[in-house]
């Protein structure tokens, strides 16, 4: 359900606020960012798109400068969505909608914010409605998000809106032990409909996923609906939808957990002749757990909510069902997709486009990129040494792949942080109430 399109870098809408050169310089100074390739300012539209991928500073700068109540409300709604504060999102969008002359581009952005936030909170009826309204906009609208991606979200949301929402039945947290499969991803023992299954714990998965074989074995309740989702190959993969009546993980028992059901081959990793995954636990389950720890001893523990926020500023931002964490790579501050289901940290073409000085002398080669849903050959630049800093702890990696820029990549995140970093910070706790990842110390 990722939207992969190229957005226009400039817009003709006169009402779009600009982050002026002074605001951009202030932001750059605050984060010590390298010079950007683009012009002297961000459009308001661009700042919204950046915030959706975890980079909120440009939008915060635009909000300070905006005198337009509608645009200020839209900016506040996107920032609230990043905090997973759905009530605040709806309040700000209500203010935005009071303006009668919002241009179609901003109306489209408001619907995307509503759709993202509703989907993240499992309000699939509202997500489906927002997606439907977006798809009904005039075809000439200068849309940042691709119709294909919104249509994918709409198809999933329309199917799930007819099902009772996922909820927790009992909560008696306990520590469980994960194992590392051949690609180095953490797998935990879970129980679905009283049948044990091993599942990859994947904060980067928008929904939980299971193979057709396992869905049949455990008696998943299949819905009379199908859809398509994005994949590692960036091609749409056909899926079915199923519901687990009961799922237990780490002492917490859920009911009505939605799964994407894929052909077995779609969850076979092309390593060591092929490694078959059975299931993946994705974002909606973590969203309900709220606070959980991946231990340095390969344990997984559901934690009790904290009475007070953990010390230090928040460092997580949500974009729909994607989580982004504040990091830096070789001194460049970045919000990277927090992906416990990725073996390696990587950077996308968007990074290469916005930070050309960082990649201009890198060698290129063709690499094989694989994951749930497929694989592809990709031209990549090779960053031989990367110092990745997370929570004040620096991990030295070599090398990492940077997707070579070939077309506008405005809708991509800057990259993903994977197990090659996460497994080396001595364990970490993710708190979705405080929107904070806390690392426990180098291992």
């Amino acid at each position: 359900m990722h939207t992969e399109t190229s957005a226009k870098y400039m817009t003709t809408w006169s009402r779009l606020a600009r982050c002026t050169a002074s605001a951009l310089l202030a932001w750059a100074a605050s984060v010590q960012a390298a010079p950007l390739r683009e012009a002297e300012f961000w459009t308001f539209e661009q700042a919204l798109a950046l915030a959706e991928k975890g980079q909120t500073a440009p939008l915060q700068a635009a909000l300070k400068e905006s005198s337009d109540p509608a645009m200020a409300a839209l900016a506040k709604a996107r920032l609230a969505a990043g905090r997973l504060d759905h009530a605040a999102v709806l309040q700000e969008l209500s203010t935005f909608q009071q303006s009668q002359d919002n241009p179609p581009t901003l109306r489209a952005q408001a619907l995307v914010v509503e759709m993202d936030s509703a989907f993240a909170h499992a309000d699939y009826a509202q997500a489906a409605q927002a997606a439907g309204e977006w798809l009904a906009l005039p075809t000439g609208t200068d849309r940042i998000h691709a119709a294909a991606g919104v249509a994918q979200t709409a198809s999933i949301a329309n199917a799930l809106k007819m099902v009772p929402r996922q909820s927790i039945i009992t909560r008696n947290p306990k520590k469980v032990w994960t194992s590392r499969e051949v690609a180095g991803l953490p797998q935990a023992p879970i129980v679905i409909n009283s049948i044990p299954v091993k599942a990859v714990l994947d904060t980067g998965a928008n929904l939980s996923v299971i193979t057709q074989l396992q869905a049949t074995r455990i008696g998943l309740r299949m819905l009379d609906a199908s859809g398509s989702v994005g994949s590692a190959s960036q091609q749409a993969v056909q899926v079915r939808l199923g519901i687990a009546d009961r799922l237990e993980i780490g002492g917490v028992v859920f009911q009505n957990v939605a799964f994407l059901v894929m052909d077995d081959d779609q969850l076979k990793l092309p390593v060591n002749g092929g490694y078959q995954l059975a299931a993946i636990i994705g974002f909606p389950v973590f969203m309900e757990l709220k606070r959980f720890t991946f231990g340095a001893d390969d344990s997984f523990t559901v934690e009790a909510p904290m009475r007070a926020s953990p010390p230090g500023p928040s460092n997580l931002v949500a974009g729909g069902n994607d989580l982004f964490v504040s990091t830096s790579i070789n001194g460049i501050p970045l919000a990277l997709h927090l992906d416990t289901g990725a073996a390696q940290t990587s950077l996308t073409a968007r990074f290469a486009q916005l930070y050309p000085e960082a990649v201009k002398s890198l060698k290129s080669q063709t690499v094989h990129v694989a994951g749930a849903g497929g694989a592809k050959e990709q031209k990549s630049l090779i960053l031989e040494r990367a110092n990745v800093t997370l929570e004040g702890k620096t991990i030295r990696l070599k090398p990492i792949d940077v997707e070579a820029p070939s077309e506008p990549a405005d809708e991509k995140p800057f990259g993903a942080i994977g197990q090659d970093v996460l497994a080396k910070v001595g364990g970490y706790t993710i708190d979705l109430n405080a929107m904070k990842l806390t690392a426990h110390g180098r291992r």
Side-chain angles (χ1 to χ4, degrees), residues 53-55 315-318 322-328 333-339 389-391 415-417 422 436-438:
K53 302 305 180 186
Q55 303 278 126
N315 58 7
L316 295 176
V317 175
D322 291 319
L323 276 177
F324 299 92
V325 62
S326 298
T327 65
S328 72
L334 293 172
L336 295 182
H337 191 202
L338 178 58
D339 194 352
T389 301
L390 174 65
E391 269 281 275
I417 191 164
L422 295 172
K436 171 78 171 175
L437 181 150
T438 302

Side-chain angles (χ1 to χ4, degrees), residues 23 32 34 36 112 132 135-136 146 275 302 355 361 367 371 391 426 439 442:
Q32 299 178 340
L36 299 179
V112 168
L135 292 168
Y275 181 82
V302 179
Y355 296 96
S361 61
V367 298
E391 269 281 275
R442 284 290 292 274

Side-chain angles (χ1 to χ4, degrees), residues 260 292 295 331 345 352:
L260 299 177
F292 43 92
T345 298

Side-chain angles (χ1 to χ4, degrees), residues 1 3 115 131 134-135 146-158 227-228:
M1 290 168 296
T3 304
M115 178 185 71
W134 191 98
L135 292 168
V150 176
Q152 286 176 356
T153 300
S155 68
I156 301 296
N158 274 308
S228 63

